[in-house]
């Protein structure tokens, strides 16, 4: 296989990562009213990704192209909306979709127009997920599930091969395609989205160094697979996520353990460098520690409640309320800590 398109594919992946990173730094997307990401949201997303190709294989190719065209048009619009006005964003998205559909029958033009729309959509979707609060743990979980699915769909079954055959050459195909042929020099939408997404999530969760490492790992994996195709060691579709997914999980685990957690979106927006400490690393309250370690005087019956403030026992009683009341009667302005003997 010609090495030039393969090198160009790795360069395109790197450029998309850089574009997405620049978008993350300079553009703040409006947060959709969906709350925060949970494990259930990631599970639903994984189910959708797994079932979508199976559904599309049951539909006519024209219908599949129309569905992907609608999705790409919407993605291009919400990606461009924060950059220009909403009307301009809609206009550009509709023009791009119309031009892509009009090029049907001209393979090179279809690939070029679809690639541009796909690149803009991936930048927007990755930023939307990142800026909406997707955590590194969520991205790692998504990568783990999709790596297993990619292995099954691409290597153990013909799902991916049949899907590529169905959409190849059509407008709005969910692949970044540089050349035709069998196999084409291309990277699938799911692979491309995770390649671009994880460096953004790593930047938010762990900082610039983690983001650069994630981007470098993605480019190296893409380049290594391209080199295997150039050398003839690979001749059919390769499940890229089976390599990339475990590396994403490994990076998440290493950075989480090294930094003690990951930054929340709020801490990232405020410019806070340190991540939110994990519960097992929170420091105990000194006042509570002092109250628990205080040795009570002799003579108090077991079961008595004592109210402690400023390192002293200020009140006692047969219930927490009576102990606090006794402390207030002594004129303390500090809210006492109550414990039972």
């Amino acid at each position: 296989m010609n090495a030039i398109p393969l090198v160009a594919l790795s360069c395109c992946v790197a450029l998309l990562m850089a574009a997405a990173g620049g978008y993350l730094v300079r553009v703040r997307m409006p947060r959709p009213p969906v709350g925060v990401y949970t494990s259930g949201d990631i599970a639903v997303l994984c189910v959708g990704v797994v079932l979508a190709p199976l559904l599309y294989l049951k539909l006519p190719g024209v219908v599949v192209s129309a569905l992907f065209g609608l999705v790409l048009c919407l993605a291009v619009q919400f990606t461009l909306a924060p950059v220009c006005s909403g009307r301009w964003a809609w206009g550009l998205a509709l023009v791009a979709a119309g031009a892509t559909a009009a090029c049907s029958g001209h393979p090179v033009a279809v690939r070029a127009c679809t690639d541009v729309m796909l690149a803009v959509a991936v930048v927007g979707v990755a930023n939307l997920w990142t800026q909406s609060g997707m955590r590194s743990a969520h991205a790692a979980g998504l990568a783990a599930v999709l790596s297993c699915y990619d292995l099954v769909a691409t290597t153990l079954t013909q799902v991916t091969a049949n899907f590529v055959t169905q959409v190849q050459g059509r407008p709005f195909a969910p692949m970044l395609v540089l050349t035709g042929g069998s196999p084409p020099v291309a990277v699938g939408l799911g692979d491309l989205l995770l390649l671009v997404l994880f460096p953004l999530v790593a930047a938010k969760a762990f900082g610039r160094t983690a983001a650069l490492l994630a981007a470098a790992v993605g480019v190296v994996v893409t380049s290594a697979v391209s080199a295997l195709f150039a050398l003839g060691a690979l001749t059919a579709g390769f499940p890229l996520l089976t390599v990339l997914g475990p590396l994403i999980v490994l990076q998440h685990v290493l950075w989480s353990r090294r930094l003690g957690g990951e930054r929340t979106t709020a801490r990232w927006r405020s410019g806070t460098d340190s991540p939110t400490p994990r519960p097992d690393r929170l420091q105990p309250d000194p006042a509570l520690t002092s109250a628990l370690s205080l040795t009570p005087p002799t003579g108090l019956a077991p079961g008595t409640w004592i109210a402690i403030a400023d390192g002293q026992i200020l009140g006692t009683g047969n219930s927490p309320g009576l102990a606090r009341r006794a402390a207030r009667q002594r004129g303390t302005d500090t809210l006492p800590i109550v414990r039972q003997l």
Side-chain angles (χ1 to χ4, degrees):
M1 184 177 289
N2 193 338
I4 295 178
L6 294 169
V7 173
L9 183 64
S10 296
C11 293
C12 288
V13 169
L15 287 174
L16 268 181
M17 290 178 177
Y23 191 102
L24 180 69
V25 172
R26 294 176 175 83
V27 180
R28 180 164 182 171
M29 303 184 79
R31 180 173 178 175
V34 294
V36 297
Y37 279 95
T38 65
S39 300
D41 298 324
I42 303 303
V44 171
L45 180 60
C46 291
V47 171
V49 171
V50 171
L51 294 181
L54 301 177
L55 174 63
Y56 293 144
L57 287 174
K58 301 296 183 181
L59 299 175
V62 175
V63 176
V64 174
S65 293
L67 290 174
F68 277 117
L70 176 61
V71 171
L72 285 181
C73 184
L74 293 174
V76 168
Q77 190 278 329
F78 73 66
T79 302
L80 297 179
V83 180
C84 55
S85 67
R87 291 183 179 180
W88 273 103
W90 273 117
L92 291 172
L94 292 174
V95 167
T100 304
C103 291
S104 182
H106 303 278
V108 176
V110 166
R111 287 199 299 267
C113 293
T114 301
D115 286 351
V116 171
M117 291 192 69
L118 190 69
V120 175
V122 166
V123 168
V125 171
N127 269 276
L128 178 66
W129 288 358
T130 302
Q131 297 190 33
S132 297
M134 178 175 280
R135 300 172 58 225
S136 174
H138 295 146
L142 180 63
V145 173
L146 293 187
S147 63
C148 298
Y149 167 74
D150 201 16
L151 177 63
V152 173
T154 305
T155 303
L156 304 181
T157 67
Q158 294 296 312
V159 172
T160 299
N162 294 338
F163 181 69
V164 170
T165 300
Q166 183 187 30
V167 301
Q168 187 174 356
R170 292 185 176 274
F172 314 112
M175 301 183 297
L176 184 70
V177 185
L178 297 189
T179 68
S182 181
V185 176
V187 58
L189 176 58
D191 302 331
L192 188 61
L193 185 56
L194 269 178
L195 282 166
V196 175
L197 172 66
F198 189 68
L200 302 186
V201 174
K204 177 177 71 71
F206 307 119
R208 178 184 176 86
T209 302
L212 292 175
L213 176 62
V217 168
V219 172
V220 168
V221 169
T222 305
S223 301
V225 174
S226 296
L228 292 176
F229 274 104
L231 295 172
L234 293 175
T235 57
F238 180 78
L240 183 67
L241 287 180
T242 59
V243 178
L244 181 64
L247 292 176
I248 288 176
V249 174
L250 178 62
Q251 290 176 80
H252 164 72
V253 172
L254 292 178
W255 283 112
S256 296
R257 290 186 176 182
R258 179 177 179 181
L259 299 179
E262 57 180 284
R263 285 187 300 189
T264 62
T265 303
R267 293 174 71 85
W268 165 67
R269 290 197 185 281
S270 67
T272 303
D273 292 331
S274 59
T276 302
R278 295 186 307 205
D280 59 346
R281 299 200 176 195
L282 294 176
Q283 297 298 321
D285 185 354
L288 180 60
T289 303
S290 175
L292 292 175
S293 61
L294 182 66
T295 302
T298 58
L300 294 177
T304 301
W305 289 87
I306 57 176
I308 305 168
D310 300 325
Q312 301 180 23
I313 298 177
L314 301 181
T316 62
N318 294 326
S319 67
L322 292 176
R324 287 196 177 97
R325 180 179 179 183
R328 287 198 303 270
Q329 290 175 347
R330 295 189 59 176
T332 180
D333 294 329
T334 303
L335 180 64
I337 296 174
V338 179
R339 53 172 281 206
Q340 190 178 28
L341 297 179

